[in-house]
Amino acid sequence: MPDAKQGTKQETMHVNLKVKRYDPADSGGKTWWQEYEVDIHPDSTVLDALIEVREQNDGTLAMRCACRASICGSCGMKVNGSAKLVCKTRAIDVSPNGEQMTIEPMGNQHVVKDLVVSLDTFFAQIKRVEPFLQPDHVPAQGEYIASNASMENLLTSMNCIMCGCCVSDCTVLEVDSNFIGPAALAKAWRFTEDPRDGKRDERLKMLNDEDGGMWDCTRCMKCVDVCPKGVAPMDRIMELREAAIQAGNTNTPGYHHTESFYNSVKKNGRLDETRLAIDSAGWTNLPRLLDLAPIGIAAMRKGKLPPLFPHKAEDHKKVKDLYESVEGESK
Ligand code: SF4
Ligand code: FES
């Protein structure tokens, strides 16, 4: 039986990698693309291919990995534009017909060298949510008891391995570095749901009121797509919003935005974008309304200003019926 490295067609796979390089010492802050070709076993991962490159072709290529079993969270990178754990990603799944694959460092994080990013920003976001239990009493038995069901409920978020993939591909963080980010919000959710924690209301209020908090998510679902552990951060963020509203945090632009969206679609069968912007800012909040003026003027110039009085959708009665049926069911 020939060794895979001897290279028969059945036992090796030819991989063509295009890797984004960066060396702060040599390139004066510039990045460049470098191509590599290696032969690996068809069952190998993208990480195996990169290690082969480093061992056989180019020892200067910097990357980070440890467990090689999707546990430690250290090998997050962008593969063909999407964040992945490369130790969990088979090369053949990315490149079934030998297509070139591009490998880049994760996004929204400071690149240290080549494929290695600093996780300082990531952990600063996590710290903002105070990721530790804060009980409000000492139990009589000397032990905080939580039911199995309440702990099972936390499993989604507790599966997080802090890999940073969701932060890498978050489309809000691309334009607003103040956003607390999907991983931190999923972590916050874990503590608001833990029956042993005594700071639920304070946590919800803080994340509700804070600039860059739970209402800045635009529900693009990228974090759900890329999370390798099924944490589904965006779903956790929606649960946080619901919990914040239930806890009485309704005097915020985020809540007004949700309420306006709900009411206008119910009434017209379509979104009243003008009203949505004004309701979200608050009718009496002059500074916020003035902030919107340049956007309105720019939209008007491009002929994209939504109508001041929206037309009702043809089937708006059906939409209203749907609303009423769902509202009836939830009573
Ligand atoms: Fe990684 Fe998922 Fe945790 Fe984000 S939520 S850091 S993608 S495991
Ligand atoms: Fe540990 Fe990939 S090397 S998760």
Side-chain angles (χ1 to χ4, degrees):
M1 185 90 174
D3 179 45
K5 284 201 172 163
Q6 286 172 2
T8 65
K9 270 198 167 166
Q10 294 77 24
E11 290 171 340
T12 62
M13 170 189 175
H14 191 69
V15 179
N16 183 339
L17 299 144
K18 187 176 166 193
V19 180
K20 194 168 194 180
R21 306 287 313 266
Y22 168 67
D23 184 347
D26 290 346
S27 61
K30 290 201 184 104
T31 58
W32 74 99
W33 291 96
Q34 192 154 352
E35 296 188 20
Y36 301 100
E37 297 194 18
V38 285
D39 290 323
I40 53 172
H41 189 278
D43 285 336
S44 300
T45 62
V46 175
L47 177 61
D48 294 327
L50 288 167
I51 289 173
E52 185 73 8
V53 167
R54 197 174 58 182
E55 288 181 355
Q56 305 299 333
N57 301 35
D58 186 348
T60 68
L61 180 63
M63 71 184 85
R64 188 161 47 207
C65 64
C67 70
R68 300 177 70 171
S70 55
I71 296 167
C72 71
S74 63
C75 69
M77 298 170 199
K78 280 196 174 192
V79 180
N80 289 349
S82 235
K84 294 187 189 313
L85 291 181
V86 286
C87 73
K88 195 185 177 199
T89 308
R90 288 199 324 157
I92 203 158
D93 293 335
V94 179
S95 168
N97 300 306
E99 301 90 338
Q100 184 176 66
M101 61 177 92
T102 59
I103 315 287
E104 299 167 74
M106 286 196 291
N108 295 323
Q109 287 157 86
H110 170 72
V111 181
V112 179
K113 185 173 187 296
D114 295 335
L115 302 170
V116 178
V117 297
S118 160
L119 288 172
D120 286 356
T121 311
F122 177 86
F123 283 107
Q125 290 168 344
I126 298 281
K127 273 189 195 157
R128 275 167 70 182
V129 306
E130 301 183 353
F132 42 86
L133 278 175
Q134 299 182 55
D136 57 3
H137 67 282
V138 178
Q141 308 296 325
E143 190 180 359
Y144 293 94
I145 308 284
S147 68
N148 280 347
S150 67
M151 295 317 283
E152 277 168 15
N153 177 42
L154 303 181
L155 281 181
T156 42
S157 175
M158 282 165 65
N159 282 339
C160 174
I161 55 171
M162 307 277 187
C163 63
C165 288
C166 56
V167 165
S168 160
D169 287 20
C170 173
T171 53
V172 176
L173 278 167
E174 259 175 50
V175 293
D176 178 8
S177 59
N178 189 41
F179 179 43
I180 199 163
L185 287 169
K187 184 63 69 189
W189 173 87
R190 178 245 176 280
F191 289 100
T192 60
E193 289 293 304
D194 193 313
R196 299 165 298 175
D197 193 74
K199 287 268 170 21
R200 185 173 195 269
D201 286 351
E202 289 89 332
R203 290 180 189 277
L204 289 172
K205 182 160 173 33
M206 187 273 278
L207 293 166
N208 179 73
D209 294 353
E210 190 170 278
D211 191 20
M214 64 169 82
W215 292 101
D216 280 18
C217 168
T218 56
R219 304 169 66 147
C220 71
M221 292 199 65
K222 280 296 280 185
C223 59
V224 179
D225 282 350
V226 300
C227 175
K229 291 289 167 182
V231 174
M234 192 203 76
D235 293 349
R236 308 288 80 79
I237 297 169
M238 295 310 119
E239 285 166 8
L240 273 177
R241 288 181 180 178
E242 187 64 37
I245 292 169
Q246 296 298 331
N249 299 291
T250 54
N251 193 21
T252 57
Y255 174 72
H256 294 313
H257 181 92
T258 308
E259 192 184 36
S260 179
F261 201 113
Y262 185 93
N263 289 339
S264 82
V265 176
K266 182 176 181 183
K267 186 171 167 202
N268 304 311
R270 62 160 57 113
L271 186 61
D272 179 349
E273 289 178 83
T274 309
R275 174 127 201 173
L276 180 74
I278 297 170
D279 280 347
S280 304
W283 288 84
T284 53
N285 191 339
L286 199 57
R288 264 191 108 95
L289 288 172
L290 287 175
D291 277 352
L292 291 174
I295 302 170
I297 292 166
M300 192 165 25
R301 282 208 181 117
K302 301 256 178 202
K304 303 223 168 187
L305 194 68
L308 287 179
F309 302 102
H311 306 297
K312 286 187 191 287
E314 211 174 293
D315 285 341
H316 72 277
K317 284 208 173 74
K318 282 190 190 161
V319 176
K320 196 168 181 196
D321 288 348
L322 258 175
Y323 264 76
E324 283 170 0
S325 128
V326 173
E327 284 165 348
E329 277 172 23
S330 63
K331 270 182 195 159

